[in-house]
Amino acid sequence: MIAYIDGKLAYKEPAYVIIDVNGVGYQIKISLSTYSALPQGERCRLQTYLHIKEDAHTLYGFLTTAEKDLFLHLISISGVGPNTGLTILSSLSVEEVQQAILREDVRTIQHVKGIGAKTAQRIILELRDKIKKETLTADSVVPAATHNTVRAEALSALVTLGFAKNVAEKTIDAIIKRESRNLSVEELIKFALKSS
C-alpha cells in the first residue's frame, strides 16, 4: 500500500492532481477540499489510498489524515465505492459529514449527488458508533489532530506486536482517559505493554 506521495505539484484540476516524484508523475484523484487547499507548483504531501480493481489501480489523495480516515470509513459501507466516497467529501467537509452522521441527518447526506435515502441511512447506521467514539476520544485531553495520530500510531504498533485490535483499542482508550497529560506514542505503547 502507498501511504503517501511527497513531491512537486506538477498539475492540478478539481478531479485530480499529478505529483512529480523524482521524475515520475503520479496521477491522484482528490476531493474539492483538497484541491482548493493545494498551491500550484509547490511541494506537497498527500495521504493516499490505492484502490485495486481488475482493470485499474487508482490512487486517491487527501491533504489531511482526518479526510482519509473518513473516506476509509465511507468505502467500508456496502454500496459506497471510492468515487462515491470522494463525491461525499467534495460536497461536504469532514466536519459536516461527521455532524450529519452524529445527528442522524439523512437529508444532508442524501443531498450529495448519487446518494439515495437507503444509502444515506446505511452510512449513518454503520458509522454512527465509530464517529461518536472517535469524536469523544478526540475531544478528551489532547488536541484532535495530535491525539488521533498518536493513538493511531500506538494502535498500529500494538497490533503489529500481536495484540488483538479490539483489545489494543480498549487498552489505549483506558490509558488516555487515565492519564491527564499529553502522551507520546512511545509512552502510550509502554503503558499498554505494562497493563497487559
Side-chain angles (χ1 to χ4, degrees):
M1 171 106 154
I2 301 170
Y4 66 85
I5 301 282
D6 189 336
K8 183 182 179 194
L9 183 59
Y11 179 81
K12 80 171 189 175
E13 66 175 54
Y16 71 92
V17 293
I18 296 175
I19 296 182
D20 183 327
V21 182
N22 298 324
V24 177
Y26 291 90
Q27 183 171 329
I28 305 169
K29 288 189 168 192
I30 57 169
S31 69
L32 286 175
S33 59
T34 294
Y35 168 77
S36 60
L38 286 173
Q40 181 72 37
E42 304 257 337
R43 185 173 183 84
C44 67
R45 175 185 286 210
L46 289 180
Q47 306 290 320
T48 57
Y49 167 76
L50 177 61
H51 182 68
I52 299 175
K53 295 191 305 187
E54 285 180 24
D55 60 343
H57 291 199
T58 309
L59 273 173
Y60 293 85
F62 313 93
L63 203 56
T64 66
T65 305
E67 187 180 25
K68 180 181 177 182
D69 290 345
L70 183 56
F71 173 82
L72 293 174
H73 284 323
L74 289 168
I75 66 171
S76 71
I77 295 168
S78 174
V80 179
N83 288 331
T84 305
L86 212 55
T87 302
I88 293 170
L89 292 173
S90 290
S91 304
L92 303 166
S93 70
V94 172
E95 294 77 20
E96 288 171 331
V97 175
Q98 289 173 336
Q99 287 306 310
I101 291 169
L102 292 174
R103 289 192 317 260
E104 299 183 27
D105 183 358
V106 175
R107 292 184 64 169
T108 297
I109 297 173
Q110 197 177 339
H111 283 331
V112 175
K113 186 179 187 290
I115 302 290
K118 286 186 178 178
T119 304
Q121 289 168 345
R122 195 177 312 121
I123 288 170
I124 289 169
L125 182 68
E126 293 187 29
L127 294 184
R128 184 180 51 224
D129 292 339
K130 288 180 187 175
I131 300 296
K132 195 178 289 181
K133 184 177 181 180
E134 287 176 7
T135 53
L136 282 175
T137 312
D139 289 342
S140 60
V141 186
V142 202
T146 308
H147 175 271
N148 285 340
T149 304
V150 169
R151 184 183 184 280
E153 287 179 21
L155 178 61
S156 174
L158 290 171
V159 170
T160 303
L161 290 170
F163 278 72
K165 187 175 180 184
N166 60 342
V167 174
E169 282 180 330
K170 286 179 184 173
T171 305
I172 288 171
D173 290 342
I175 293 165
I176 290 171
K177 205 173 194 179
R178 183 183 73 216
E179 297 295 320
S180 58
R181 60 188 173 90
N182 294 353
L183 295 172
S184 69
V185 177
E186 296 79 14
E187 289 173 323
L188 197 49
I189 293 168
K190 284 178 186 175
F191 278 126
L193 291 173
K194 286 178 186 173
S195 68
S196 62

